[in-house]
Amino acid sequence: MDTALANTTPGSQTAARPRKRKLTFDYVSFMVVFLGLPLAIFLIFVIWPFLQAVFYSLTDWSGFTPDMNIIGVENYIRLLNDDIFMKALGNNVLLAIVVPLVTIVLALALATLVTVGGPSHGPIRGLRNSSFYRVVSFFPYVIPAIIIGILWSQIYNPAGLLNGLLGLIGLDMFDSFAWLGDERTAMGATIFVIVWSFVGFYMVLFVAAIKGVPAETYEAARIDGAGRMRTALSITIPLIRDNIQTAYIYLGIMALDAFVYMQALNPGGGPNNSTLVMSQQLFRTAFNKGEFGQASAMGVVLAIVTLIFAAIVFTVNRITGGREEKGRS
């Protein structure tokens, strides 16, 4: 008894604390290579350019002369009163909502079909020849975005392939219809192209995630009488929540830029600026108007909107996940 008490004295607790790691050459070199070097690269090539952009946004720099005057937040005030930029901002927000949502829903549906959407009896498996569907659906992702944009701009041409196919099946009202030249269809046609180019990649991502779910989980749900839709909503989606969150953030960031697709499909911003995005307006302002200070302000706004979007996705995912964990406990 006395021995046990002696072992729990404050002095013995102090002696039992782990010693500080010695600054050996191996330890220091490891920290420099795997922590210091990546941090330095991040600061030099990410943080510093962003700080430069913030500084330039507070000036009237033309981009082609060394002269500049600090004008404060005047560029940001001009942006708030610029109807064209606000229209572009609204288009970006629309893309950030619709593109990730549609792409993820389609990718999840396809991934479920090729992994667990097979027969209702026997072992859990996907559709027959599912590997073929994976290869075919992934093919658009390997094509450069600029080529996809040019290709679909020709397909959407009034005398292009799409109107020709619609005419063959008797839809003569689409004869010489300008899909990208009509304000009613320009944004929808553009969103279709973006979704088409990304859905295959995220289907493969979700396939890998679903294959990480134990087959016994799906078998238990099948025994309990759960249908395909119930299984997808109650098992698949909750278990691959982190993958869905990552996909939504990446797709949202891409949609908030979307410069290549928009520039290839509608270089002028579409009819009545219906497809104009902030990156296009930034490019025009910088290189056509020579207003790099104003363009830098647009870039800062775009960066802030992107960070807000990512924060919203993380917050929503955490709140919904927290509720589930609370319910389980």
Side-chain angles (χ1 to χ4, degrees), residues 33-218:
V33 173
F34 291 97
L35 179 61
L37 184 60
L39 181 60
I41 293 175
F42 180 76
L43 291 174
I44 294 173
F45 294 102
V46 178
I47 300 300
W48 178 242
F50 180 74
L51 294 177
Q52 284 183 310
V54 173
F55 171 73
Y56 291 140
S57 70
L58 302 176
T59 69
D60 60 355
W61 186 41
S62 65
F64 302 100
T65 63
D67 301 326
M68 64 181 72
N69 300 310
I70 296 178
I71 59 176
V73 296
E74 183 178 333
N75 287 327
Y76 294 96
I77 296 175
R78 287 176 58 191
L79 290 182
L80 294 177
N81 297 321
D82 188 348
D83 294 336
I84 297 179
F85 180 78
M86 298 306 295
K87 175 71 172 180
L89 175 60
N91 291 336
N92 272 118
V93 173
L94 176 63
L95 288 173
I97 295 173
V98 176
V99 170
L101 184 62
V102 175
T103 303
I104 288 176
V105 169
L106 291 177
L108 273 173
L110 294 173
T112 302
L113 287 175
V114 301
T115 51
V116 296
S120 301
H121 304 284
I124 301 295
R125 62 183 179 87
L127 297 176
R128 183 178 299 178
N129 300 322
S130 59
S131 59
F132 171 77
Y133 301 132
R134 274 180 280 181
V135 173
V136 172
S137 61
F138 189 79
F139 180 71
Y141 186 76
V142 303
I143 304 175
I146 185 64
I147 295 179
I148 290 177
I150 295 173
L151 174 67
W152 277 95
S153 66
Q154 297 301 314
I155 294 175
Y156 284 138
N157 190 282
L161 178 63
L162 179 58
N163 288 337
L165 292 176
L166 293 176
L168 289 177
I169 61 176
L171 299 177
D172 297 331
M173 72 284 295
F174 292 106
D175 184 30
S176 299
F177 184 78
W179 292 90
L180 297 175
D182 193 305
E183 188 176 354
R184 298 169 297 175
T185 58
M187 181 58 81
T190 303
I191 290 176
F192 175 84
V193 173
I194 299 175
V195 171
W196 176 83
S197 64
F198 279 96
V199 68
F201 171 78
Y202 287 98
M203 185 202 76
V204 174
L205 177 69
F206 293 146
V207 165
I210 293 173
K211 285 185 175 294
V213 178
E216 294 80 4
T217 304
Y218 289 108

Side-chain angles (χ1 to χ4, degrees), residues 245-274:
Q245 172 187 289
T246 303
Y248 203 103
I249 292 175
Y250 281 148
L251 281 167
I253 292 174
M254 184 280 306
L256 287 171
D257 181 9
F259 175 79
V260 177
Y261 293 97
M262 296 302 186
Q263 195 69 10
L265 291 168
N266 265 320
N272 197 23
N273 296 317
S274 58

